[in-house]
Amino acid sequence: MIHYKRFTLDNGLRVLVHEDHNTAMACVNILYDVGARDESPDKTGFAHLFEHLMFGGSVNVPQFDAPLQEVGGENNAFTSNDITNYYITLPSANIETAFWLESDRMLSLAFSEQSLAVQRNVVAEEFKQRYLNQPYGDVWLRLRPLAYKVHPYSWATIGKDLRHIEEATMEDVKSFFQKYYVPNNAIMVVSGDVDVEQVKALTEKWFGSIPSRKLEKRNLPAEPRQTEARREIVEADVPVDSLYIAFHGVDRLHPDYPAMDLLSDILSRGSSSRLYRALVKDQPLFSEVNAYVMGSVDNNLFVIEGKPLPHVSLAEAEELLWNQLALIKQENVTDMELQKVKNKVESTMVFAELSILDKAMNLAFYEALQDAALYNEEVEKYLAVSTTDLQRVAQHIFVKENSSTLLYHAKEKQHAE
C-alpha cells in the first residue's frame, strides 16, 4: 500500500505527496492528461512530438538538462495513447531545482522554429527507423486501424502518417500546448525524502502563479461492438512468418479487467504458461508466442502473437492458437494455475512499491484514471478473481467475430495460402 496526502492549488493543479524517508532521493512526476487519443485524425503524433519539444528549453532555461545534471538529477518522459508523463529523480536536498524546471516549462516553454525543426526531424527519424524500416515495425500501424474503426486508438502514439509530423507548424504546436499543458490538466506526484509542508510551500512558490485555462470536455467516440472477423495479409521483408490476433476487451475501470489481465498471464507469462508449454516447449511448433493486454484506459485490445517454426504454415499456426483458446473457454483453469499468476501479480506490485519513481508514476496514473486510491485496491481485485470469472471472460472475448488478424508472410518463403 502506498500512503499519500493530497492538495490542490487554486489553479487546479492536483498534487499528491508520498513520504519515504528510507531514501535520500526524491522524485517529481508530472502527468499531463493528454495522449494520442486526444489528437485530431488529420494531425496525429502531436502528443509524442510535444514530449520531445518539452526538452527543447524554456524562455528562461535554454537547456533543460544542464542545471539538472549539476545537482545530480536525471529525467525522462513517455507518451502513450492516454497520457504524457514526465519525471525527475534527484537528491532530495536539491528538490527545488525540479520544481523550478518543471514549472518554468509549463509556464514559458520556448517556441523556436529551430527547436521545432530539430524535434520534427528527430521524431520523423524515429518513425522511419522503428516503424517503417524495421521488421514487423509497422505492426501497430496496421493492427490498430484493423481493430479500431471509430475510436482514436486506431492510430499509434507515433502517429498514423509521417506527413502529420513533417508538416507540423508553429501554430499547431502552440495551440496544442495552450490546450493541454495547463496546471488544471496536470497531476504532480512528489515522492521520496520529502514532507508535505515542504512540498506545499514549493508548489505554491513555483506553480501557484501559473494561470489555469478552461478545458474542453473529452468526448471520444465509442468503438462499436465488432460483429465480424477482420483479416489483413502482408507480404513483407521479415525474417520469418508471424501472426497477430487482437480481440476487443473491456476498459481499464471495468470490473472484468483483472480477470482479462490474468487470462493473458495464464496463457503467456513464464515458461509454465499454457501457450509456451503447448506450442514451444512440449511440442516445438512456434519459436515464440505471447499474449498480453494493452492496458489502455478505454476499450482494450487483448493480443496474441506468435512466430511459427519453418515447418508450420501460418494457417496451421492460426489454428493451433485458436485450439488453445477453445480449451480455456471450455474448461476452468485449475486453482493452482490461477493462484500462481495471482502470486506473480502480487509480487510485481510489491516490488513496484520499492521504487520512489514507480510509486510516483502509479499514483499519478490512477489519479488520472479516476482516483489514486484505486492503486491500493488493485491487489485485492486481482486476488478476488475466480476460475469461473476467467472462463466467462474468455468466452466473451475469444470469438471469431471479435477478432482482427494480421498475418506477415516472409517474402522469401513460399506458401500455399
Side-chain angles (χ1 to χ4, degrees):
M1 176 173 284
I2 306 176
H3 298 282
Y4 63 91
K5 294 182 179 178
R6 66 164 70 233
F7 61 91
T8 304
L9 296 188
D10 291 342
N11 59 16
L13 176 65
R14 285 175 279 171
V15 185
L16 283 69
V17 184
H18 166 70
E19 297 185 22
D20 181 355
H21 300 293
N22 295 314
T23 176
M25 301 296 288
C27 174
V28 175
N29 187 95
I30 297 187
L31 179 152
Y32 289 92
D33 190 9
V34 56
R37 65 176 175 167
D38 297 300
E39 298 163 347
S40 170
D42 60 347
K43 291 180 180 179
T44 63
F46 271 62
H48 177 243
L49 172 63
F50 221 90
E51 175 202 322
H52 284 257
L53 287 170
M54 284 286 278
F55 292 96
S58 66
V59 172
N60 303 307
V61 188
Q63 292 186 315
F64 184 85
D65 288 339
L68 194 57
Q69 290 169 355
E70 289 177 7
V71 298
E74 296 180 349
N75 73 95
N76 213 328
F78 64 87
T79 310
S80 74
N81 285 76
D82 299 306
I83 63 169
T84 310
N85 194 84
Y86 302 84
Y87 59 87
I88 293 175
T89 55
L90 74 175
S92 59
N94 300 325
I95 193 172
E96 188 163 7
T97 300
F99 280 80
W100 163 52
L101 290 171
E102 288 292 5
S103 64
D104 196 59
R105 64 178 176 179
M106 182 188 285
L107 176 65
S108 309
L109 189 67
F111 291 100
S112 71
E113 290 290 352
Q114 180 182 1
S115 176
L116 177 57
V118 168
Q119 298 307 330
R120 258 196 321 240
N121 289 336
V122 168
V123 175
E125 283 306 307
E126 180 183 348
F127 197 118
K128 293 172 186 175
Q129 290 180 19
R130 292 182 57 189
Y131 295 85
L132 301 182
N133 301 330
Q134 184 171 300
Y136 317 108
D138 62 347
V139 165
W140 294 108
L141 302 182
R142 295 179 179 277
L143 193 54
R144 280 186 176 276
L146 188 64
Y148 292 105
K149 298 304 180 184
V150 173
H151 194 283
Y153 282 164
S154 62
W155 57 82
T157 306
I158 195 71
K160 64 179 179 180
D161 192 326
L162 180 57
R163 289 176 300 176
H164 292 176
I165 297 302
E166 292 176 331
E167 296 172 3
T169 68
M170 182 62 72
E171 183 180 354
D172 290 334
V173 297
K174 281 186 176 181
S175 174
F176 192 89
F177 180 79
Q178 291 165 0
K179 187 174 183 179
Y180 297 111
Y181 278 71
V182 292
N184 47 320
N185 197 47
I187 298 161
M188 181 165 72
V189 180
V190 183
S191 63
D193 187 25
V194 298
D195 65 70
V196 176
E197 292 308 314
Q198 170 199 25
V199 172
K200 277 185 179 178
L202 289 172
T203 306
E204 286 285 1
K205 176 181 178 180
W206 290 105
F207 289 89
S209 63
I210 301 177
S212 61
R213 297 192 191 94
K214 184 177 180 180
L215 298 175
E216 293 181 16
K217 186 176 180 180
R218 181 180 278 126
N219 186 25
L220 302 179
E223 185 68 23
R225 182 181 177 85
Q226 187 174 336
T227 57
E228 59 180 10
R230 299 166 186 160
R231 296 175 68 80
E232 182 177 343
I233 300 173
V234 182
E235 295 274 353
D237 289 319
V238 292
V240 295
D241 290 351
S242 185
L243 74 158
Y244 302 79
I245 308 174
F247 301 91
H248 286 283
V250 296
D251 63 76
R252 192 63 183 75
L253 286 172
H254 194 283
D256 282 338
Y257 182 86
M260 180 175 69
D261 197 19
L262 287 172
L263 266 178
S264 71
D265 289 349
I266 285 169
L267 287 171
S268 176
R269 188 170 183 173
S271 58
S272 61
S273 62
R274 287 195 172 199
L275 294 180
Y276 185 86
R277 280 202 332 267
L279 303 177
V280 178
K281 185 179 178 181
D282 295 347
Q283 189 177 4
L285 297 165
F286 282 72
S287 61
E288 61 180 88
V289 62
N290 295 291
Y292 51 90
V293 175
M294 297 297 289
S296 306
V297 170
D298 296 331
N299 167 281
N300 262 281
L301 289 184
F302 189 115
V303 182
I304 298 175
E305 61 179 57
K307 292 180 173 58
L309 290 173
H311 68 279
V312 180
S313 71
L314 277 175
E316 292 168 332
E318 192 175 355
E319 184 178 1
L320 288 166
L321 290 178
W322 277 103
N323 288 343
Q324 290 299 314
L325 297 181
L327 287 175
I328 210 165
K329 289 166 62 177
Q330 291 163 7
E331 301 176 3
N332 278 339
V333 302
T334 66
D335 291 334
M336 184 179 295
E337 271 186 294
L338 178 55
Q339 190 58 51
K340 183 172 60 179
V341 293
K342 285 181 177 181
N343 291 343
K344 288 182 178 179
V345 168
E346 189 171 14
S347 65
T348 297
M349 297 191 74
V350 169
F351 278 119
E353 293 183 17
L354 299 178
S355 160
I356 58 171
L357 174 57
D358 285 344
K359 286 186 280 191
M361 290 196 295
N362 281 325
L363 287 175
F365 175 75
Y366 280 83
E367 180 69 14
L369 191 61
Q370 187 179 78
D371 185 344
L374 291 173
Y375 179 79
N376 290 327
E377 301 171 6
E378 278 292 83
V379 169
E380 292 305 316
K381 289 178 180 177
Y382 277 80
L383 295 181
V385 173
S386 67
T387 57
T388 304
D389 292 329
L390 293 178
Q391 186 180 43
R392 174 177 52 80
V393 171
Q395 289 172 347
H396 178 72
I397 293 176
F398 301 140
V399 294
K400 288 285 177 74
E401 294 79 12
N402 189 38
S403 68
S404 297
T405 304
L406 176 62
L407 303 174
Y408 277 87
H409 282 295
K411 279 188 176 179
E412 65 273 17
K413 184 175 179 178
Q414 297 296 316
H415 57 84
E417 295 175 60

